Structure formats: structure tokens, C-alpha cells
Amino acid sequence: MTTSRRRALRLVTAPLALGALLLGVAPAQADGAGAGPGQGGPATADIVTTTKLQGRVAALTFDDGPNPHDTPRLLEVLEEHDVKAVFCLWGDVVRQNPDLVRQIVEAGHTLCNHTMHHEDLSGWSPEAVRADLEATSALIHEIVPGAPIPYFRAPYGAWGRSPQVAADLGMQPLGWTVTIEDWETQDADVLAERLETRVRANPGAVVLLHDGPVMDRSGTVEAVARVIPELEAEGWRFHKPDRRG
């Protein structure tokens, strides 16, 4: 079935949520996790790196998952503090962990296409990029039909021609402002210090974290568990990234 025919069918079965998907807009939510002032609109080829909201705001994003060893605990931490995040899903890992993808969606988090095989896209043709992104989204939708996928993130930040392709498919290219280099260490003390310090220094930032199975991610999860309540006590809130570039 072609992409256009799949979209037409989904529009019939779930008009509200999928109308938002076709427009490239994640539906607003009453809990503040949806599009806010200065956000929303159709996808563009600009790579977003902030929430574009004022004050003590940050967006948490997690790449390369889901991971059966660490993602369940991460979901518990986020639920405990009523924080919504963006999960950038790796297609090969999605295929191995469909129940976790369902849990992510059921918990109200936002999905991001992170390609099928986590390859460097910098030298790919637009046609090859499009085929990969469409295949990844189709796989996700086999598991969670109708779930919006409003963002795309290129592995390694190697964008190449992918931003325009993603925008044409209704997905906003999603970069980041802050990272804690959790691929270098899983020492929770080090990661918590980095996360807390760097978020405070960058109000409005999109934060890059990882929950994928390439390595143990328990340190990342523990750092998030420590830092969220500390930041919330200072008046910080967690929101989606911008949707306009």
C-alpha cells in the first residue's frame, strides 16, 4: 500500500489525531505537553534546537530506544514527575520491542523518527532518505496505528539532505542545544551534574539523552531521576521542542 493510501485510510479511522499528523502538527494537550505559545505550524526544513518558550523551560529527548533494560525505569521516572518527553525511535530496535513502543505512546510521550538502521545519512540521496524515513514510520505505525510522529532526528546529527525530506513528510528536524555525553560514561554522579548545570545555563534548550540498547543506560536514567525534581523545585517545567524551526 502506498503512503498516500495509508494516510487516507488512517484519516477515515482517526480523523482528529491523524489530521494533525498530516499537517505535521502534534495535537495540543491539556497538560501543557502540546504546542504552546510560539509553537505549532507545518514542518519546515529548519533544524529546531529549542522550545522557543521563555523562562525556565527544557525539552527532554531520548535517542536510540526503546531498551528493555532501561526504558521501563525511565518511563516510571517520567510518570512519577508528570514529565512528557520525546522518544527518537530506532527502527531495528522498535521491531524487537513493540510493547515498549506501545507503553511510550500510552504514557503520552511524543515520537520521533530516528531512521531504520541508525546510519550516517550525510551522503544519502533524497530518494534514499525518504525510503528509509517512510519505512521507519510505517514500522512504528504497525505497532501504534495513528500515533503522530511530528519529529525526525538524524543519527549522529549527520543531516545531509534529510531535513527537507523530513519536512516534506510532515516531520520537523529535531536537533539539540544541550547534551551530557552519556555515550562516554554512565557514571550517574557525572551525568547528573552535567544535566543540571547545562540545563540551567540554557533556558529553553532541547536536551539530548539516550535510552538505546547499545550500552547500559542506567546512569542516564538515574541522572534524570535526580535532576527532574531539583529543577522542578526551582520552577523549571518540561515541554515539547518547537515545531517551526
Side-chain angles (χ1 to χ4, degrees), residues 166-190:
D168 291 343
L169 293 172
M171 296 182 289
Q172 186 67 45
L174 178 60
W176 59 87
T177 314
V178 166
T179 182
I180 61 172
E181 292 92 28
D182 57 353
W183 58 87
E184 295 179 350
T185 180
Q186 278 295 301
D187 184 315
D189 293 336
V190 171

Side-chain angles (χ1 to χ4, degrees), residues 10-171:
R10 291 175 189 142
L11 187 58
V12 171
T13 57
L16 293 178
L18 291 168
L21 175 63
L22 293 174
L23 290 173
V25 181
Q29 300 178 16
D31 62 4
Q39 298 192 321
T44 72
D46 299 319
I47 300 168
V48 303
T49 59
T50 74
T51 65
K52 284 198 177 173
L53 299 177
Q54 300 298 313
R56 296 181 174 183
V57 186
L60 301 181
T61 69
F62 296 91
D63 279 16
D64 301 352
N67 168 9
H69 301 290
D70 300 305
T71 302
R73 171 60 181 150
L74 174 60
L75 290 173
E76 290 176 359
V77 169
L78 296 174
E79 181 178 13
E80 179 182 352
H81 298 287
D82 195 24
V83 169
K84 304 303 182 187
V86 177
F87 284 81
C88 299
L89 302 181
W90 176 350
D92 288 331
V93 179
V94 164
R95 185 178 283 111
Q96 298 168 14
N97 300 283
D99 287 343
L100 281 177
V101 176
R102 296 185 187 99
Q103 291 176 36
I104 290 168
V105 172
E106 289 168 1
H109 300 292
T110 299
L111 301 185
C112 170
N113 183 318
H114 199 41
T115 75
M116 186 63 72
H117 307 300
H118 203 271
E119 297 177 278
D120 183 332
L121 304 180
S122 58
W124 288 29
S125 69
E127 293 77 17
V129 172
R130 185 181 186 98
D132 186 284
L133 270 55
E134 287 183 329
T136 306
S137 291
L139 174 61
I140 294 170
H141 283 145
E142 287 178 11
I143 299 167
V144 281
I149 310 174
Y151 299 104
F152 161 73
R153 176 173 281 162
Y156 316 110
W159 294 97
R161 308 288 291 278
S162 67
Q164 185 61 59
V165 175
D168 291 343
L169 293 172
M171 296 182 289

